[in-house]
Amino acid sequence: MKISYLLLAVISLAVAPIAMHAQFRKIPAEVTNAFHAKFPDSKNVEWKDKITDFEADYQVGDTSFEARFDSDGNWLQTEKDIADSTMPAAVKDGFSKSKYTDWELKTVSWIENKSDGIQYRLLVRKNAIEKRFLYFDTSGKLLKDAITL
């Protein structure tokens, strides 16, 4: 009896990672066609079903991107991580004037989305527990400040 519980536990641990990365649905042709039309130079495309939309992780040259599309093939957002040294001066200035200026800057992402245009998302950390995402527009205005886990 104990052996069968042990065997069940071992099998569960072996199968769980596979199930966690399983594709829920087939990516609709409208989505893949819209992706290839918008990003014709993309390489190494990997799709993920994010339940409410579909995400394509891909490369253009040496740069990695992530794009999201709804199930009808409408583009929603494109994102890439950038070096903090390439962050626009206005965004650097906005961050330096924010109440988070003494927090450690961990990552910077360039985001273009359908409704808001281009934004910069900064992940900042005060300590191991306190982390926030700061969203700035291209003029350096802080748009949103969100807690992250």
Side-chain angles (χ1 to χ4, degrees), residues 82-103:
I82 63 170
D84 57 338
S85 60
T86 64
M87 190 172 30
V91 177
K92 286 180 188 178
D93 187 52
F95 174 59
S96 71
K97 293 177 179 174
S98 75
K99 66 181 181 180
Y100 300 102
T101 191
D102 59 336
W103 290 37

Side-chain angles (χ1 to χ4, degrees), residues 22-52:
Q23 191 68 37
F24 295 112
R25 304 172 282 176
K26 184 177 187 301
I27 308 299
E30 295 87 0
V31 174
T32 56
N33 291 341
F35 170 80
H36 290 296
K38 186 162 181 68
F39 305 107
D41 297 330
S42 61
K43 305 283 185 234
N44 304 320
V45 181
E46 291 184 22
W47 286 97
K48 296 177 187 169
D49 183 344
K50 294 296 195 173
I51 312 282
T52 59

Side-chain angles (χ1 to χ4, degrees), residues 24-145:
F24 295 112
R25 304 172 282 176
K26 184 177 187 301
I27 308 299
E30 295 87 0
V31 174
T32 56
N33 291 341
F35 170 80
H36 290 296
K38 186 162 181 68
F39 305 107
D41 297 330
S42 61
K43 305 283 185 234
N44 304 320
V45 181
E46 291 184 22
W47 286 97
K48 296 177 187 169
D49 183 344
K50 294 296 195 173
I51 312 282
T52 59
D53 56 43
F54 296 95
E55 177 185 297
D57 294 328
Y58 64 99
Q59 288 185 300
V60 174
D62 293 334
T63 306
S64 295
F65 291 86
E66 170 184 301
R68 289 184 179 240
F69 290 81
D70 68 18
S71 58
D72 294 324
N74 297 308
W75 171 79
L76 302 172
Q77 175 176 300
T78 303
E79 179 177 326
K80 69 176 175 175
D81 289 338
I82 63 170
D84 57 338
S85 60
T86 64
M87 190 172 30
V91 177
K92 286 180 188 178
D93 187 52
F95 174 59
S96 71
K97 293 177 179 174
S98 75
K99 66 181 181 180
Y100 300 102
T101 191
D102 59 336
W103 290 37
E104 178 186 8
L105 179 60
K106 297 298 288 177
T107 62
V108 179
S109 298
W110 171 92
I111 301 170
E112 180 180 12
N113 67 49
K114 188 175 181 176
S115 57
D116 301 321
I118 295 174
Q119 296 180 351
Y120 293 86
R121 182 183 66 217
L122 284 58
L123 173 60
V124 295
R125 182 176 85 169
K126 185 174 188 176
N127 52 46
I129 298 171
E130 293 180 273
K131 300 176 190 173
R132 299 193 80 79
F133 279 130
L134 308 177
Y135 293 83
F136 290 88
D137 67 12
T138 56
S139 70
K141 178 182 176 188
L142 179 61
L143 302 171
K144 184 168 74 169
D145 152 5

